[in-house]
């Protein structure tokens, strides 16, 4: 089945869900909108409430979650949290879209902005602004439902603002933990050959040429995510990718971006880099390889640092080389941009969702996102970055960060680099169609890098961009 047909079917299912929700009985809650009115924000400590939470956590992270659910229940014994893992990001997105259409959605879900935009076709995602600003007291706990000024100020600004990238200025998500892309490099090799870690893309291609001269069979650079690379270069060069204005616009079909991919093709043809799709696997496999074709630099997720450790292919478990970690190269030192990813939390509703359930869901989201100890433990186990500034003041977390190195504490080193670059993070606008744009960006780059034009290269690239836009607009 083609992507276009699948896309049309998904939209049809979502539209039918909208009709079902707007035509439903209001006898239980009256929630036919995703904005909860200020006067409806109340919470009873005497009313039992069951909340479901769908995520992508593995067993170890679920163990941490269970520990903090018990801590949460010391404050809110009447809120009962049930959670489940849906697998990977594609799995959770597909599952929740199906559940929304059937009215069986969870109360809380892991999400990326593109997911939220899709869920909101059916107005299923609760707008958080009135909850965040609520000063309603919670029983005799001494707390309020909303966030205090201190809690708001503790969030890393770029992470917090991700919740508002939907074009209407409203807040739909809260950040839980984040990752970014970093440049891993073989520090042992770089020092032995007197190579300088590149900070710009021009420097990168110079370094790649030097590495190719040393090892003609290698790919000097591996880049795991083609879509991220294209989107990041658009952001760094300020050449346009998408906009959430007027329901969403696709801006990437322009001469500057065509020149950009044409230049990348030249470097690909020289053997300077490969990507996950071109190589057929994560390029971290090439990076840790020491006995065959390999790469000496790899751009990958900071959350995947454990897969970049150099002892993966050694028989005795020792480290084959020291791994260095640096920010990804930039196009412009005055416009430094690095993509921000990682899970946020959204609150979902169906036709029968009650205000008690919405507020209880919010209280749990608030607890996870503002709890310093949870943020610290979650970061140390997952390799994701915490979303609160004050986590670095946590004693155990500070000690762990200080151990960061290019060997057994590579994860901590990676998180250090991520925290230091937090002022440079960006998130692409999210709207119905932004997920397609991301997918097309990756496919477009692959086609322009490795395709075989029957005529001129410029005509080939023009046609590739035109077809990508047509896929997005269809």
């Amino acid at each position: 089945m083609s992507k276009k047909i699948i896309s049309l079917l998904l939209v049809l299912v979502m539209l039918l869900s909208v009709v079902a929700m707007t035509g439903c009985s209001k006898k239980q809650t009256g929630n036919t909108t995703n904005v909860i009115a200020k006067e409806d924000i109340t919470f009873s400590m005497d009313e039992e409430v069951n909340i479901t939470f769908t995520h992508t956590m593995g067993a170890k992270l679920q163990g941490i979650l269970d520990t903090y659910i018990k801590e949460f229940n010391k404050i809110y014994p009447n809120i009962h949290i049930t959670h489940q893992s849906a697998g990977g990001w594609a799995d959770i997105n597909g599952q929740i879209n199906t559940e929304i259409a059937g009215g069986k959605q969870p109360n809380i879900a892991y999400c990326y902005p593109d997911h939220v935009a899709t869920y909101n076709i059916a107005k299923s995602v609760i707008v958080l602004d009135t909850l965040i600003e609520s000063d309603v007291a919670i029983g005799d706990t001494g707390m309020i439902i909303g966030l205090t000024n201190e809690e708001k100020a503790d969030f890393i600004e770029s992470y917090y603002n991700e919740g508002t990238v939907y074009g209407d200025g409203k807040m739909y998500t809260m950040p839980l933990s984040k990752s970014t892309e970093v440049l891993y490099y073989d520090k042992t090799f770089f020092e032995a050959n007197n190579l300088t870690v590149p900070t710009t893309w021009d420097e990168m291609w110079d370094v790649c040429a030097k590495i190719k001269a040393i090892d003609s069979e290698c790919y000097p650079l591996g880049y795991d995510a083609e879509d991220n690379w294209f989107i990041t270069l658009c952001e760094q060069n300020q050449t346009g990718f998408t906009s959430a204005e007027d329901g969403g616009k696709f801006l990437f079909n322009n001469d500057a971006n065509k020149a950009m991919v044409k230049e990348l093709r030249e470097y690909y043809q020289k053997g300077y880099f490969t990507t996950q799709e071109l190589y057929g696997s994560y390029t971290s496999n090439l990076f840790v390889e020491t006995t065959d074709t390999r790469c000496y630099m790899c751009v990958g997720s900071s959350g995947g640092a454990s897969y970049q450790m150099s002892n993966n292919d050694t028989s005795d478990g020792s480290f084959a080389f020291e791994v260095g970690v640096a920010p990804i190269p930039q196009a412009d030192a005055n416009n430094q941009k690095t993509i921000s990813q990682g899970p946020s939390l959204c609150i979902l509703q169906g036709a029968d969702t009650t205000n008690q359930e919405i507020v209880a869901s919010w209280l749990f989201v608030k607890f996870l996102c503002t709890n310093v100890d949870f943020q610290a433990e979650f970061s140390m186990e997952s390799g994701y970055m915490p979303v609160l500034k004050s986590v670095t003041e946590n004693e155990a977390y500070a000690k762990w960060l200080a151990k960061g190195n290019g060997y057994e504490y590579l994860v901590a080193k990676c998180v250090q680099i991520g925290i230091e670059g937090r002022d440079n993070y960006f998130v692409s606008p999210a709207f119905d169609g932004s997920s397609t744009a991301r997918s097309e960006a990756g496919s477009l780059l692959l086609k322009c890098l490795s395709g075989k034009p029957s005529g001129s290269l410029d005509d080939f690239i023009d046609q590739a961009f035109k077809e990508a836009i047509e896929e997005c607009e269809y």
Side-chain angles (χ1 to χ4, degrees):
M1 189 179 289
S2 74
K3 289 191 293 183
K4 290 182 180 179
I5 294 174
I6 292 171
S7 228
L8 282 171
L9 288 174
L10 178 59
V11 170
L12 178 59
V13 169
M14 291 292 101
L15 289 174
L16 289 173
S17 180
V18 171
V19 172
M21 286 181 64
T22 55
C24 71
S25 167
K26 297 184 180 181
K27 63 182 180 180
Q28 292 195 39
T29 175
N31 285 329
T32 57
T33 174
N34 58 347
V35 178
I36 181 169
K38 180 178 180 181
E39 59 270 19
D40 290 333
I41 299 177
T42 61
F43 182 73
S44 171
M45 295 288 286
D46 298 323
E47 181 182 341
E48 302 294 316
V49 58
N50 297 312
I51 300 300
T52 55
F53 174 25
T54 301
H55 50 70
T56 63
M57 297 181 200
K60 289 183 178 180
L61 290 177
Q62 288 186 55
I64 294 173
L65 178 63
D66 286 334
T67 296
Y68 282 89
I69 287 175
K70 292 177 183 177
E71 293 299 311
F72 176 76
N73 285 144
K74 291 177 183 178
I75 308 170
Y76 305 105
N78 63 318
I79 302 178
H80 309 289
I81 308 292
T82 302
H83 65 91
Q84 64 165 344
S85 177
W89 283 109
D91 301 313
I92 195 172
N93 189 28
Q95 176 178 316
I96 290 178
N97 272 317
T98 300
E99 290 171 342
I100 288 173
K104 302 293 184 181
Q105 66 289 317
N107 299 100
I108 305 168
Y110 260 20
C111 58
Y112 272 8
D114 288 341
H115 301 167
V116 173
T118 304
Y119 305 156
N120 249 353
I121 295 174
K123 295 293 182 184
S124 295
V125 185
I126 293 293
V127 173
L128 302 178
D129 297 80
T130 52
L131 290 161
I132 290 170
E133 298 302 327
S134 175
D135 58 2
V136 173
I138 308 170
D140 59 0
T141 64
M143 298 183 295
I144 60 171
I145 288 175
L147 296 177
T148 66
N149 290 333
E150 290 76 16
E151 287 170 333
K152 292 177 190 175
D154 197 22
F155 280 103
I156 293 170
E157 187 175 3
S158 59
Y159 297 157
Y160 187 79
N161 290 341
E162 181 182 309
T164 63
V165 296
Y166 303 92
D168 60 5
K170 297 175 182 177
M171 187 85 165
Y172 288 91
T173 65
M174 289 291 289
L176 180 73
S177 61
K178 294 298 168 185
S179 64
T180 187
E181 290 187 327
V182 295
L183 175 66
Y184 300 95
Y185 63 97
D186 183 338
K187 188 175 180 180
T188 303
F189 176 84
F190 267 62
E191 290 178 348
N193 291 280
N194 198 30
L195 297 172
T196 302
V197 180
T199 61
T200 68
W201 289 109
D202 287 341
E203 291 174 0
M204 169 62 78
W205 307 129
D206 288 341
V207 170
C208 285
K210 292 176 182 177
I211 292 175
K212 198 72 175 173
I214 297 168
D215 180 356
S216 62
E217 299 301 315
C218 78
Y219 296 103
L221 171 67
Y223 206 123
D224 271 339
E226 297 86 359
D227 50 1
N228 280 357
W229 199 3
F230 183 92
I231 294 166
T232 297
L233 287 174
C234 290
E235 190 75 18
Q236 289 183 353
N237 287 296
Q238 297 180 291
T239 50
F241 176 59
T242 58
S243 167
E245 293 180 4
D246 301 325
K249 295 180 180 179
F250 308 104
L251 309 175
F252 58 86
N253 186 12
N254 58 63
D255 290 342
N257 287 338
K258 291 174 185 177
M260 174 184 78
V261 298
K262 186 177 181 180
E263 182 181 17
L264 286 178
R265 179 185 172 93
E266 176 187 343
Y267 295 127
Y268 173 67
Q269 299 294 330
K270 290 181 177 180
Y272 284 3
F273 68 86
T274 190
T275 69
Q276 181 183 342
E277 290 296 326
L278 292 168
Y279 172 56
S281 179
Y282 284 109
T283 59
S284 57
N285 296 329
L286 282 170
F287 182 66
V288 300
E289 173 65 59
T290 57
T291 60
D292 203 349
T293 303
R294 62 169 306 199
C295 63
Y296 295 92
M297 296 177 286
C298 177
V299 174
S301 171
S302 60
S306 60
Y307 297 101
Q308 307 284 357
M309 294 173 67
S310 67
N311 64 342
N312 292 34
D313 291 328
T314 56
S315 59
D316 62 358
S318 61
F319 294 93
F321 58 89
E322 181 180 2
V323 179
V325 186
I328 66 167
Q330 298 290 323
D332 181 356
N334 296 317
N335 182 48
Q336 297 193 36
K337 297 293 182 180
T338 307
I339 202 163
S340 174
Q341 297 182 299
S344 293
L345 299 177
C346 66
I347 298 173
L348 300 169
Q349 69 163 356
D352 297 329
T353 304
T354 66
N355 288 337
Q356 177 82 347
E357 289 170 338
I358 291 172
V359 176
S361 300
W362 160 252
L363 292 175
F364 187 59
V365 167
K366 172 185 172 181
F367 177 82
L368 294 181
C369 296
T370 62
N371 188 296
V372 171
D373 292 337
F374 171 79
Q375 287 282 315
E377 287 195 48
F378 197 88
S379 176
M380 288 187 284
E381 179 57 48
S382 68
Y384 279 68
M385 293 174 288
V387 300
L388 303 176
K389 300 169 188 173
S390 61
V391 175
T392 55
E393 299 168 11
N394 176 279
E395 184 176 357
Y397 194 72
K399 288 181 179 178
W400 178 75
L401 276 183
K403 293 179 180 178
N405 61 29
Y407 300 106
E408 71 272 26
Y409 284 101
L410 180 61
V411 173
K413 180 65 176 177
C414 216
V415 172
Q416 280 181 7
I417 298 297
I419 291 174
E420 290 169 4
R422 65 193 185 194
D423 293 335
N424 301 329
Y425 295 143
F426 77 93
V427 178
S428 296
F431 52 90
D432 181 23
S434 59
S435 180
T436 302
R438 172 174 290 278
S439 174
E440 287 301 319
S443 298
L444 171 63
L445 182 57
L446 285 171
K447 186 182 294 185
C448 292
L449 291 176
S450 60
K452 298 179 180 179
S454 57
S456 76
L457 177 58
D458 287 339
D459 289 344
F460 175 76
I461 291 175
D462 284 344
Q463 184 63 26
F465 272 78
K466 179 183 176 182
E467 290 173 356
I469 289 291
E470 287 175 350
E471 286 288 337
C472 291
E473 292 181 341
Y474 189 84

